[in-house]
Amino acid sequence: MLPTQYENFIRLVNETVPQERIITDTFQTLAYGTDASFYRLTPKVIVKVASEAEVTVVMTLAERLGLPICFRASGTSLSGQAITDSILVSITPDWKGYEILEGGKKIKMQCGVLGSEANKALAPHQTMLALMPASVDAASVGGMAINNAAGMNSLDTYQMMDSARFVFLDGTVLDTGCEKSRAAFSEQRQDLMQGVCDLSETLRSNPDLAKRVANKYSIKNTTGYGLRSLLDFNDPIDMIAHLMIGSEGTLGFISEVTHNTIKKEPFKASAFLVFPDIATAGKAVTRFKNNQTPVTAAEMIDYYSLQAVAHMQGVPDYVKNVPQGTVAILVQAESDTDKGLNTHIATIKKEIADLPTVVPAQFTKDPKEYAAYWTVRKGIFPAVGANRPKGTTTLIEDVAFSIDTLSEALVDLQQLMQRYDYQDGVIYGHALDGNLHFIFSQSFQTADDIARYESFMEAVCHLVVEKYDGSLKAEHGTGRNMAPFVQQEWGPEAYDLMLGIKQLFDPKGILNPDVMITEDPKLYTKNIKPMPVVSDIIDQCIECGFCERMCPSKNLTLTPRQRIVGKRELQIIDLDHKPEFEEKYDYFGVDTCAGCGLCSTVCPVGINTGDLIRHIRQNKNESLEDRAQWIAKNFGTLTKGVKATLGTANLLHKVLGKNLMQTVTDGSRKLSGNRLGKWTPAMPTAADSIAPPAPQENSQRQVVYLPSCVTRTMGPAKDAKEQTGLFDKTVGLLRKAGYQVIIPDGIDKQCCGMPFESKGMFTQADQKASESVEMLKLASNNGQLPIYCDTSPCTNRLKSYQQAGLDIYEPVEFIHKFLMDDLTFTPTDEKVACHITCTARRMGLEAQTVDLINACSTNAVFPEQVTCCGWAGDKGFTTPELNQSALAALKPQVQDCSAGYSTSRTCEIGLSHHSGIDYQSIVYLVDKCTEAAT
C-alpha cells in the first residue's frame, strides 16, 4: 500500500494523465526507475508525461502535497540525477519535435530529442551540436542541458544555448526566446526576478568571492549551482535561464532548448598519439593547449583503458599491443581544405617531435576509420565496466585541473588510485580541458569495503580541491556522489549563495532532493546499485542505456537495459515477491522481446540481450522438445500446412470482405485467449509452388538460389499491386543479369533454423542449419558458386552458423556486389520508402542498402525512429502490440510514398499493415528500375 499522500497524488493527477501512464507496480517502477549511475532508488510512482501541460499539473500537485519529484528522459546520467524513491516524472516519445533555423545555424528541440537525432537532422546543413559527450547518441538534449554536459571539446549548453523554455514549480512557464513570455514571466514571478537580482548583488559586492567564482569557471565545472550566471548577465531572466542549465532537475523542468550549432569541417584526420607514460602525455596536452596547436579534440586514454577497448572494431593494430604504462591521446584536426588539414597535421607532429613516443604518429583521413576511433573512445566507460570483477559496482567520476598543472595532477591521481589498491582503475578524458574521468570497481559488501571507498573519496577531494583548486565535477553534474562535497570545493560564502538559489526556486526542497544540496555527509555511500552475478551473457552490463534507442519494445514494455535490471532483480528478490515478479517478467521481459539483437550493435561490449531471452525461452520450452523435434524432421509437411492455412484465410477474406474478416478473426482471437494469431488485411496469400528454372542459353555465370521457407509458403498480400511471387521475381532478376539459377535439391524440407532458435530450441535450430549447409555445399560445388538467399534473417543465421566457407549473400549484398555493373539502372521519381531490417543493420549493410535504393529512386524515404519492425518471426501474429509499437512513427513519414521495400517477407506484413502502403522485397524495385546491360 502506498502512503495516503501518494494515493491522493495519483487520484488527482489521473484527472489529467491517463491511468496507463501512471505506474505503481514494483516490477515496472524498478525497471523504469534505473539509470546509468551506480546508485539505485525505486520510485513509488512513475508518471509518464506527454506534454508541458501534464508536467505543469504534476509539478503543482507535488508542490501542494509536498512530495519529492525527479525528472527523467533517457536516464544516461552517471551520478544518480535521474532516480528517486518518490515520484519519477518520465517523458514519453511525444517530445521529439525539432525545427532547423537559419539554415542550420540553430536548432530548436523538444527535450526528448536525442543528440544523435539532432545531428542527423543538421547533417545536410554541414552543422552539428557543439555538445559531444560520450553518450551523445543515446542522451536527450533536455538531459544534456539540465546537466550541462559538454564532452570532447570545450563547449557546453551554457555557452551554446540561444534560448530555452522552462516550467517552474508553481506552474509558470518561461520561454526566453519569446519577448511576450519574458514580459509575462517578469510580472508573474517578481519574487524570483528580485531574488536572483539580490543574489547577484550579494556576489558582485564581494570582489574576492566574485573573482573566485570567475576563476573557478576558467576550467570545466559543474559542481553545485552555476554561480557564474549571477556575474555573466544583468537581465534577471538571463540569470534564471542560465542557472537552470546544469541544475540537474533541482530548480525546474526544461521542455525545449534552442542551440547555436557549430560547423562541420569537410576535411578531418585523427590519430592515436602513443606516449610511454602518463606524465609525457600530460606534457603533450599542455603544449597543445598553451601553444594553440590546431587540435580540435584531444582525448587521453591510459593503458588500462586501451586494454579494455582493444577488442573493439576500429582499434588500430599499433594500439592493441602497446607496453604497460603506455598512454594514448586521440587527437583530431579539422580544416575547410585538404591543404589546410595537411598543415595542421604537420604542426601537431612538430609539437611533439622531441617527446618520446611508443609509435610514430599515424593520422588517418578515412572517414570510416576516424569515426571508428571516436566510437571506441565513446565506449571506454561501458568497456571498462564490463571488465570489473563479478559482483562489484563500476564507479566513475570526473574532475578537472588547470592545464598548467595537468601533468603533475595526472601522476598524483594515478598514484592515489594505486595507493588505495584500485589496481583496475583507469584514467581517461577530455585532456585539452584538463577534464579527467577515472573509473574503478568497488565492492560494498563489507564495512571495510565502504571504509576504503570513503577514505579514497576524501583523498580525491583533498587532492583536487586543496592541492590543485580544481573541479570535483567537470561535466557529469554534481549528483549524489559529490553533493556532500560541494561546500568543501566552494567554501561557505559561495555555498550560502547556492542555498539561496535552491530556496528561491524550490522553497519546500521537493525537486530532486539530495542531488545538488544535501545535509547527509555519507550520501555517496548509500543506495548503491546491486550487481548480482546472473549470466555470462549480461554480467558485463553496467546499465549505461546506450542500447535503448535501438529497441523495438522500448515504448511498449522494456528496453534491453531494463530486461537486464529485471533479470538481476529476480536473482536477489525474496521468495514472497518472486512469483509476481516472474509473472510480470514473462510478458514484459520475455514475450515482448523481439530478439533482434540491435542492442548489440550500439553496446560497446556487444551484449545481445536477445541471447539472454532465447536462453530463458529454452528453459521455458523444455517440455516442447519432442514436438520441436517432430517439426524439424517433418519440415516439408509443416510448410505445406502453412500454405494450406494461408490459402483458406485468403478464401475467407475474399468471401467475407476485409471488414467482416477482421471482425470475425479478432473475435476468434479474443475468445481463444489470444492463442489464435492476429489477422490483418496485409496477410500473405499462399505462395505458388516453386520449380527449378529452365537452363538459360549463353549464361556464363551461375548462382545457387536459396528461397527461404517464408518465400516458399507466403505469396503477396491479396490486395498487393504486384502479384508476382518473390521466387519468380528473383529468378527473373538473376536471369536478366545473365545468371543461370540453380535451386538446391531437397529445398522443400529445409530451413535455416531461425524459427527454432527464436524459441530457444537450439538443438533443432542447429540441426536444420546443418542440413541446409550440407545441401548448399552440394549445390554450390563445395562453395565454388555464390549462394543467394532472398531473406536477410535467414542469410545471417546461415552465415553465423556455417564454417564451410560458403559465400552466402542476402539480396542487397548480392545485388550491390554482383549486379550493379550487369544491369542498367534508371531511377524512378516515385517516392518510395525503405525499411532496413534489423538483420541488415547487424550485418553492416545500411550504407549498401541506401546506395541501392538511391540507385533505384530519386525520392527515397528512410523513416526515422524506426529500427526493428518488431514482427520478430511470428510476434506479429502472437504479440501484435509489439509490431504496432515498434512502427508507431512509420505511417506519417511514408503515407505519400507509392510503395515500400525491405528484405524480409514477414517484416513486410507488419510494415504494410501499419503504413498503409504495400511493402515488398527490394528485388521488386530493382527489377522495375533495371534493364540488362548491353
Side-chain angles (χ1 to χ4, degrees), residues 854-877:
N854 287 337
C856 295
S857 173
T858 60
N859 198 3
V861 175
F862 299 88
E864 298 179 0
Q865 300 174 41
V866 177
T867 53
C868 168
C869 72
W871 191 272
D874 64 355
K875 290 292 181 185
F877 299 123

Side-chain angles (χ1 to χ4, degrees), residues 221-471:
N221 192 317
T222 58
T223 311
Y225 291 115
L227 296 180
R228 57 179 162 170
S229 309
L230 304 176
L231 298 176
D232 290 347
F233 303 96
N234 294 315
D235 187 325
I237 285 184
D238 292 330
M239 293 182 198
I240 290 168
H242 287 81
L243 281 170
M244 288 289 291
I245 302 304
S247 63
E248 303 175 39
T250 65
L251 302 181
F253 178 83
I254 181 169
S255 61
E256 182 182 274
V257 61
T258 300
H259 271 278
N260 295 304
T261 63
I262 58 175
K263 182 182 177 183
K264 287 182 68 174
E265 296 290 1
F267 296 92
K268 298 179 182 179
S270 294
F272 285 92
L273 307 178
V274 187
F275 299 96
D277 53 58
I278 203 163
T280 306
K283 290 177 183 177
V285 173
T286 302
R287 291 184 185 183
F288 292 156
K289 185 76 171 184
N290 291 341
N291 298 340
Q292 297 183 329
T293 309
V295 173
T296 55
E299 295 293 302
M300 181 173 291
I301 308 173
D302 78 353
Y303 174 77
Y304 293 106
S305 300
L306 291 173
Q307 294 302 297
V309 298
H311 69 284
M312 292 181 65
Q313 187 173 357
V315 177
D317 289 338
Y318 64 84
V319 172
K320 292 181 179 180
N321 300 304
V322 293
Q324 186 164 352
T326 294
V327 175
I329 300 175
L330 175 56
V331 297
Q332 183 155 296
E334 303 177 13
S335 179
D336 57 358
T337 66
D338 186 55
K339 181 179 178 180
L341 180 60
N342 289 334
T343 300
H344 290 341
I345 292 172
T347 302
I348 295 168
K349 289 182 176 180
K350 183 178 179 181
E351 194 73 74
I352 61 170
D354 63 322
L355 294 176
T357 57
V358 176
V359 293
Q362 301 179 43
F363 279 85
T364 178
K365 296 181 181 179
D366 185 330
K368 289 185 179 179
E369 289 185 358
Y370 64 64
Y373 289 5
W374 291 97
T375 299
V376 168
R377 161 59 188 89
K378 293 174 184 177
I380 290 177
F381 174 48
V384 171
N387 289 336
R388 73 189 186 280
K390 290 189 175 184
T392 63
T393 298
T394 298
L395 278 67
I396 181 171
E397 277 306 338
D398 72 311
V399 296
F401 302 100
S402 167
I403 198 70
D404 294 330
T405 64
L406 179 62
S407 185
E408 181 184 354
L410 278 166
V411 174
D412 282 350
L413 184 57
Q414 190 177 62
Q415 291 177 349
L416 189 65
M417 297 180 77
Q418 293 169 355
R419 188 185 316 152
Y420 281 88
D421 200 29
Y422 293 111
Q423 300 300 329
D424 63 343
V426 306
I427 299 174
Y428 69 103
H430 318 309
L432 279 181
D433 296 311
N435 176 192
L436 305 175
H437 306 318
F438 57 97
I439 310 173
F440 54 98
S441 58
Q442 172 72 50
S443 171
F444 289 90
Q445 300 299 315
T446 68
D448 288 343
D449 291 335
I450 297 172
R452 178 172 69 128
Y453 177 60
E454 289 180 350
S455 297
F456 174 67
M457 288 303 299
E458 290 170 2
V460 167
C461 292
H462 176 79
L463 175 70
V464 175
V465 173
E466 306 300 333
K467 184 171 183 179
Y468 291 106
D469 196 22
S471 306

Side-chain angles (χ1 to χ4, degrees), residues 64-78:
R64 187 201 313 172
L65 298 171
L67 298 176
I69 58 175
C70 171
F71 304 113
R72 169 74 172 270
S74 297
T76 57
S77 57
L78 296 170

Side-chain angles (χ1 to χ4, degrees), residues 741-755:
V741 181
I742 299 170
I743 307 300
D745 290 335
I747 184 64
D748 59 313
K749 299 177 182 179
Q750 296 310 332
C751 162
C752 69
M754 180 168 288

